[in-house]
Structure formats: C-alpha cells, structure tokens
Amino acid sequence: SNAHAAAGDKDAVRGSGNNNNTAKAIGDNSTALAGTYGSGSDGNVAIAYGPDTTAIAGSDGNNNDSNSAIAFGPDSQAIAARYGSDSSNNSATATNGASALAGVGGDDSDANTASATGAGSIAAAGTTTTDESDLDGFTATASGGDVVHNP
C-alpha cells in the first residue's frame, strides 16, 4: 500500500527524549509523522487516512508537545507544529482534499486550531512563512475551496 508512519519514540527518525508519540498511515502513498526530526517532543498524534494523505504533528523542531494532525480523505494534508520549536497544543484537521496548518513555521506558537474541508480549501492558524514567534490561540476554518489565514 506504500503507506509510511513514523513516531519519534519508535523509529530511526527519533531524536533524544521524544516520548508517547503516535503515527498511523492508512492508504496508498499516505504519510504520518509524530514527534520526529527533533528532540523533546512528546504526546503528538498524526493520523493519515486515505490515498495520498499526509499528517505531521510536532516534527522538525524541539519540544513540540501534544499536537494533533488528522488528514482524512484523498489528497488531504494536516500539519500541526512543524518547522519551529516549543509549540504545543496545536490541532490541524483536513478532509476531502483540503489542507490545514496550525502552529507551523515559528517558535512558541501554541493552542492554534485549523480545520479545512473540500478540495482546494486551505486553513492556516498561527502559521508563518517569515519566522514569526508567539502566534497563540488562532483559529482558521475553510471550506468550498476557500483560503483562510489567521493571522
């Protein structure tokens, strides 16, 4: 089925002190990563269900804890707390070909929630491409092909 799942406390991608992470990938070309490629990231959950789905939680940074990423349905992508450190309690849910990003790209971004459904829909909450930090408590919801970015 070509599915790939890696949890930081169970696989070769483990950094030091990554504990209690869960990654499940079900479907052709699906990928789930939780608490990988960093250290001290605990309690992250990534579930990718369906073909060509991606779910990444608490990865590619240090001390990213208790983040969840759920991608459900073909071509869906959910990312919570990636490419930054010290980001916790972010939640990204994407369904039916959408993309959801929460607490991505900066440090110390906490308690952001992104939810997107439908092909082409993108929800980004507490997410930056310019390395901003301390983006906390933002919500973004997108459907019907809409793009919502908060802030």
Side-chain angles (χ1 to χ4, degrees):
S1 81
N2 228 7
H4 175 72
D9 48 335
K10 299 178 180 70
D11 296 293
V13 295
R14 177 184 179 151
S16 62
N18 293 337
N19 297 300
N20 302 313
N21 296 290
T22 302
K24 300 289 183 193
I26 302 167
D28 287 338
N29 300 313
S30 63
T31 300
L33 304 173
T36 55
Y37 304 109
S39 62
S41 295
D42 303 322
N44 298 289
V45 176
I47 300 172
Y49 184 86
D52 302 308
T53 55
T54 301
I56 300 171
S59 294
D60 299 280
N62 300 317
N63 303 312
N64 294 322
D65 300 326
S66 303
N67 299 287
S68 67
I70 311 297
F72 187 86
D75 301 312
S76 298
Q77 173 182 283
I79 301 173
R82 187 176 192 197
Y83 302 128
S85 294
D86 301 308
S87 295
S88 300
N89 300 307
N90 294 287
S91 174
T93 304
T95 60
N96 301 323
S99 295
L101 302 97
V104 174
D107 295 334
D108 299 309
S109 295
D110 303 317
N112 296 290
T113 303
S115 178
T117 187
S121 300
I122 301 171
T127 295
T128 179
T129 58
T130 58
D131 294 326
E132 294 174 77
S133 295
D134 296 314
L135 298 174
D136 299 334
F138 291 97
T139 300
T141 303
S143 62
D146 288 340
V147 176
V148 177
H149 197 285
N150 190 10

